[in-house]
Amino acid sequence: MDRTLAYRDPSLSLARRTEDLLSRMTVSEKIAQLGCAWSTAMVADGAFSEQRARAQLARGAGHVTRIGASTGLRPAESAAFANEIQRFLAENAPHGIPAIVHEESTAGFTARDADQYPQAIGLASTWDPDLIGRMADQIRQQMVAVGARQTLAPVVDIARDPRWGRLEETYGEDPYLTGRLGVAYVQGIQGKDVREGVAATAKHFLGYGLSEGGHNHKPAQVGARELREIFARPFLALIQDAGILSVMNAYNEIDGLPCGGSAAVLNDLLRDELGFDGCVVADYFTTALLISSHRVAADKAEAAQMALRAGLDVELPMLDCYAELAGLIEKGELAVEDVDRAAGRVLNLKFALGLFENPYVDAGRAPDVYQTAETRSVARELAQKSIVLLKNEGDLLPLARNVGRLAILGPCADDERVLQGDYHYPTHLEIIYRSSDQDAGAILPRPEEVSFGAGPFFPPTVTPLDGIRASVSGDTEVVYARGCGILSEDDSGLAEAVEAARGADAAVVFVGGRSGLMPGCTSGEFRDAATLGLTGIQQRLVDEVLATGTKTVVSLVNGRAFALPAIAATVPAVLECWLPGEEGGNGIADVLFGAVSPSGRLPVTLPRDVGQVPLYYNRKWSAEQVIGFSADYSDLPAGPLFPFGHGLSYTHFEYEDLTLGASTVSPDDAIEISALIRNTGKRAGDEVVQLYVADPVASVTRPIQQLAGFARVSLEPGRHCRVRFTLDMSQLAFFDRSMQFMVEPGQINVRLGASCEDIRAQASFQIQGEERHLSQKDLVATRVAIEAA
């Protein structure tokens, strides 16, 4: 390494190295750093092709697009391929600048052999930041092992509309919960030393989860105050508390401004207000969509100019519109400084990741961190904790392991594919390897070489039927019948399923959906829905099984927040299993038979009917009270089927001795809130203690309540602990009538409970003193301490 060049000297600051390298680069070389090259475009005859690489990387590249999420390469092969690309750049590209290989990892590294954990909505149901952090650390190790140094995750969109197919990729509807889980994910994946970590990318900025009609890409009708207090809040948490290195724009528009081409969104709000100083990368094809979809640019040159000036640093998935930047500079229509600013951010990230010093990985050791006992254990624990027991009449669950005859029914009982979400491997790659019924027009380039070709290469996956068979006693007879498909109207299998149920001591019916990006999927990106009920004849299957009189459990396997009033009214026990990943079957069986007590809690509100959408817990007071009239619909109650935070257990918890540290607090102070939590049941279990606050009278309208803290506690029967929350008053700040961020004096109500509606203890305190004006950057998260008794 030639340390006589300042940018090659790791002892110098990142800023100094970046400045030096930029000074040595031509305009075209800088522009190359703002783009990306398809990994599979550099393959010929089943191997890395220098000739093809030369066409892609002549001037270098900022990023290389998804080796794992575009191929069927195994870890050692993937690592070797990444090494070849980096070696070519080191030996042939100007200044030997390495590339960042970016990948996807919303619910596990999207790559062959990588562990596939529960989809994000299931992760959110755990309400367990520590466990999510452990998972993210495992993902980090698997990505770093193959040379992937940036992930396009996590998704921290606030999801208020279950019709939106991408709800499953989110952590739900609440900004505080989303922020804390997102912080844990980012800390785990970036690591204690980013030189051994993966740059996380918070997406999608901003308002993407509340699109018109729940339809992907459509405009978001959100006011400036709500945009900041709800939708931007998780991004702020990741910036302030986790030091996230990258942010991705959203496809949607806000008040006429496409996010990917708006300086008001990407510069004024993201950088100036929220304090982000990292790299902004484009969601795929964002720049071209400024022409074809948003119609705010006439051609690629205009789109490139708009996006770059707005603050979009890197064009993904390939250098397209940004290839026009050199011509704009030559014409005097764009300043070189605009390119320097973006290229400097890209180079700064590469220096921070240590890519100049360590661009290669040990390919032979890459498989060592995949599918280990530890990763499988974390996947199983996440699956267990993600499951939400919605209903359990007569304590039907848990089932006895020695039940005589058990009927396992439904299209989701023995299908490894339906346990996966749209960004799991290989579900996500269906858009590449499936040749039939494609409506995407081959958006992603298919690797033509057999050794690189993608395919349905599932990790070792435990289906519910597998898990149940492994859990029951040797005396139990397990009878399986699929009954019907997910979408099909074919009822030829119903009779077999009904007969299996009729002769059983209990029946577990697994119904739900199929997540993915392709036609035939019921949720996922591009797979929005106008209705929220079960598809095909699945409801008929449930009804006919119930009609046999057999004790029946319904297990929902889906990424969407179903509206299932019929099931909720008639089925005695209902489990929400979401998309539980590779250990899903074991996690489900562990809950069904009581090896663990269910402890998942809803991160979204489950509506009664699609007509209620959007329905979320932290609504305004005016949504709750109507002068002189009922707030209900004329044909339906206004309340949810199941509220945010809901989830039952096999044991019982009592809340005692709610104590506030003071009766009055100044606007720049904090207050301690504590309570005893006691397990009064006969089983060990976990309780998720939820802290809600409410500002009953304020200068602008405020939510009825908002989550301000939570704690997951594990208690043996008869044991108790004290949970202490330290609530900083900044958590109660809001934008006043003049859009100043402030803490206002007045009464604050404290509510502690097991869901937003199951409140077990209440108190109040006063904020006294002058209004406190602060920056959003001054927000302090609630601290939690658990004292065992």
Side-chain angles (χ1 to χ4, degrees):
M1 181 181 297
D2 186 357
R3 291 202 179 192
T4 61
L5 302 173
Y7 77 90
R8 288 288 183 184
D9 187 349
S11 69
L12 298 177
S13 69
L14 301 183
R16 176 71 182 92
R17 297 177 75 183
T18 299
E19 178 185 32
D20 178 68
L21 181 51
L22 276 175
S23 71
R24 301 172 187 276
M25 298 171 71
T26 67
V27 169
S28 63
E29 291 166 359
K30 295 172 184 175
I31 292 172
Q33 293 301 308
L34 310 186
C36 190
W38 279 108
S39 60
T40 53
M42 293 179 271
V43 178
D45 299 323
F48 173 77
S49 166
E50 287 206 6
Q51 180 180 359
R52 293 194 176 186
R54 205 171 301 280
Q56 295 284 320
L57 305 174
R59 295 182 176 86
H63 282 235
V64 168
T65 299
R66 307 193 323 176
I67 296 172
S70 299
T71 74
L73 294 179
R74 308 196 91 145
E77 299 166 330
S78 180
F81 183 45
N83 283 343
E84 290 286 353
I85 293 172
Q86 298 290 21
R87 184 169 289 107
F88 178 88
L89 288 167
E91 296 174 356
N92 298 280
H95 317 290
I97 303 172
I100 296 174
V101 177
H102 74 251
E103 296 282 4
E104 303 279 3
S105 66
T106 297
F109 180 19
T110 307
R112 188 174 179 184
D113 292 343
D115 291 272
Q116 304 301 302
Y117 305 91
Q119 177 67 306
I121 194 66
L123 298 177
S125 296
T126 71
W127 293 57
D128 194 336
D130 292 340
L131 186 57
I132 288 172
R134 286 174 57 196
M135 174 202 73
D137 181 69
Q138 292 176 349
I139 295 171
R140 176 191 64 82
Q141 294 178 52
Q142 292 181 355
M143 293 186 70
V144 169
V146 297
R149 300 303 301 278
Q150 181 162 349
T151 179
L152 306 185
V155 176
V156 289
D157 296 307
I158 297 302
R160 286 181 164 179
D161 194 331
R163 295 172 298 180
W164 184 46
R166 302 193 77 174
L167 177 142
E168 67 179 54
E169 299 173 42
T170 77
Y171 296 138
E173 70 185 43
D174 181 72
Y176 188 83
L177 177 64
T178 295
R180 300 333 299 166
L181 300 183
V183 164
Y185 182 96
V186 173
Q187 289 174 336
I189 205 140
Q190 292 190 168
K192 296 178 180 179
D193 183 345
V194 74
R195 290 172 296 181
E196 298 175 358
V198 173
T201 306
K203 62 184 188 185
H204 309 80
F205 200 80
L206 188 62
Y208 191 38
L210 191 62
S211 56
E212 287 182 351
H215 214 180
N216 206 32
H217 288 214
K218 286 192 175 179
Q221 306 295 344
V222 184
R225 185 173 285 103
E226 186 177 29
L227 190 71
R228 287 162 173 78
E229 292 180 358
I230 301 296
F231 294 91
R233 187 63 63 85
F235 290 89
L236 177 63
L238 271 58
I239 294 166
Q240 295 298 112
D241 298 340
I244 194 160
L245 295 169
S246 182
V247 169
M248 176 183 280
N249 72 281
Y251 284 129
N252 60 283
E253 66 170 84
I254 299 172
D255 195 25
L257 300 176
C259 294
S262 169
V265 173
L266 297 182
N267 186 56
D268 300 349
L269 178 53
L270 178 61
R271 294 192 184 277
D272 294 346
E273 289 189 41
L274 303 189
F276 178 67
D277 62 0
C279 215
V280 176
V281 300
D283 204 346
Y284 282 15
F285 310 107
T286 284
T287 43
L289 288 172
L290 295 174
I291 307 167
S292 62
S293 179
H294 295 293
R295 308 295 181 96
V296 293
D299 53 32
K300 290 185 178 182
E302 188 175 356
Q305 183 184 56
M306 179 182 298
L308 185 66
R309 284 180 170 172
L312 198 69
D313 298 317
V314 181
E315 183 179 32
L316 302 181
M318 56 190 176
L319 189 67
D320 180 21
C321 296
Y322 276 17
E324 304 294 326
L325 293 175
L328 290 169
I329 291 172
E330 290 174 5
K331 295 175 184 177
E333 297 176 6
L334 183 73
V336 174
E337 289 75 17
D338 290 326
V339 171
D340 285 354
R341 181 181 60 249
R345 290 170 181 156
V346 176
L347 294 173
N348 188 80
L349 179 56
K350 292 182 178 183
F351 285 124
L353 290 169
L355 280 170
F356 281 81
E357 289 73 52
N358 296 294
Y360 311 118
V361 295
D362 186 339
R365 297 185 62 182
D368 295 350
V369 293
Y370 287 71
Q371 295 294 328
T372 67
E374 184 178 357
T375 60
R376 298 294 299 201
S377 175
V378 168
R380 184 168 184 162
E381 186 176 354
L382 283 165
Q384 294 167 347
K385 291 183 174 180
S386 71
I387 295 167
V388 184
L389 179 58
L390 297 175
K391 182 182 179 184
N392 192 21
E393 271 186 8
D395 292 332
L396 174 58
L397 291 177
L399 298 173
R401 289 183 60 252
N402 61 350
V403 60
R405 192 165 193 260
L406 184 62
I408 306 301
L409 313 171
C412 298
D414 193 34
D415 184 345
E416 61 185 357
R417 171 63 181 78
V418 301
L419 303 183
Q420 291 202 337
D422 64 346
Y423 274 76
H424 278 117
Y425 189 96
T427 294
H428 191 71
L429 277 75
E430 287 177 345
I431 201 168
I432 297 176
Y433 68 76
R434 279 179 58 184
S435 59
S436 61
D437 63 8
Q438 290 202 29
D439 66 349
I443 290 176
L444 307 181
R446 290 190 185 86
E448 298 175 358
E449 310 300 331
V450 174
S451 60
F452 279 76
F457 305 123
F458 286 91
T461 301
V462 183
T463 69
L465 181 60
D466 294 333
I468 288 167
R469 282 177 169 160
S471 297
V472 296
S473 73
D475 297 327
T476 297
E477 179 187 4
V478 176
V479 181
Y480 165 65
R482 188 166 184 264
C484 66
I486 289 172
L487 289 168
S488 173
E489 299 291 332
D490 181 5
D491 64 359
S492 60
L494 281 180
E496 180 188 6
V498 171
E499 185 59 29
R502 184 174 288 113
D505 296 294
V508 185
V509 187
F510 290 89
V511 292
R514 179 185 175 97
S515 173
L517 285 72
M518 300 297 294
C521 294
T522 60
S523 68
E525 190 171 5
F526 312 122
R527 303 271 71 90
D528 311 311
T531 60
L532 298 180
L534 290 170
T535 53
I537 60 170
Q538 293 183 88
Q539 184 65 56
R540 184 178 161 194
L541 170 64
V542 172
D543 292 342
E544 294 196 14
V545 169
L546 282 171
T548 66
T550 300
K551 294 179 180 179
T552 301
V553 179
V554 167
S555 296
L556 304 170
V557 181
N558 193 269
R560 194 180 298 284
F562 275 130
L564 296 171
I567 284 180
T570 58
V571 177
V574 182
L575 287 171
E576 175 60 78
C577 304
W578 303 112
L579 301 162
E582 66 187 24
E583 281 285 338
N586 281 331
I588 291 169
D590 291 339
V591 170
L592 280 173
F593 297 103
V596 298
S597 180
S599 59
R601 301 293 183 264
L602 289 176
V604 289
T605 300
L606 297 192
R608 298 174 186 273
D609 188 88
V610 70
Q612 295 176 284
V613 173
L615 183 66
Y616 44 91
Y617 89 93
N618 51 349
R619 57 199 180 277
K620 299 295 183 72
W621 288 100
S622 58
E624 190 76 359
Q625 300 179 8
V626 180
I627 298 175
F629 295 94
S630 168
D632 290 333
Y633 294 97
S634 63
D635 55 355
L636 197 72
L641 185 63
F642 294 105
F644 175 84
H646 172 74
L648 303 178
S649 173
Y650 293 156
T651 189
H652 304 282
F653 297 93
E654 290 185 1
Y655 292 53
E656 305 169 359
D657 190 30
L658 173 61
T659 303
L660 303 187
S663 58
T664 61
V665 183
S666 69
D668 58 357
D669 206 346
I671 187 171
E672 183 179 277
I673 302 164
S674 72
L676 285 176
I677 311 299
R678 189 183 304 275
N679 183 348
T680 58
K682 298 179 180 180
R683 292 175 177 267
D686 287 9
E687 175 74 335
V688 178
V689 182
Q690 301 165 39
L691 170 66
Y692 296 92
V693 293
D695 187 345
V697 180
S699 55
V700 298
T701 63
R702 301 297 299 141
I704 294 171
Q705 60 182 334
Q706 64 188 73
L707 185 72
F710 59 92
R712 174 182 272 271
V713 299
S714 299
L715 291 170
E716 293 293 324
R719 304 298 294 177
H720 67 275
C721 68
R722 181 167 286 274
V723 177
R724 296 186 186 274
F725 298 99
T726 303
L727 174 69
D728 191 90
M729 292 304 101
S730 63
Q731 284 294 322
L732 296 161
F734 58 84
F735 286 87
D736 66 11
R737 294 187 179 189
S738 59
M739 286 301 292
Q740 297 297 307
F741 198 52
M742 51 89 77
V743 178
E744 186 176 67
Q747 178 178 314
I748 300 298
N749 295 335
V750 174
R751 313 174 80 214
L752 215 60
S755 81
C756 70
E757 293 189 1
D758 185 6
I759 301 300
R760 307 292 182 84
Q762 302 187 58
S764 64
F765 64 91
Q766 292 284 333
I767 301 177
Q768 290 187 351
E770 296 296 319
E771 294 179 353
R772 175 192 174 194
H773 292 270
L774 65 162
S775 164
Q776 293 181 79
K777 304 171 192 176
D778 296 325
L779 279 168
V780 176
T782 301
R783 298 193 301 277
V784 180
I786 300 173
E787 299 173 0

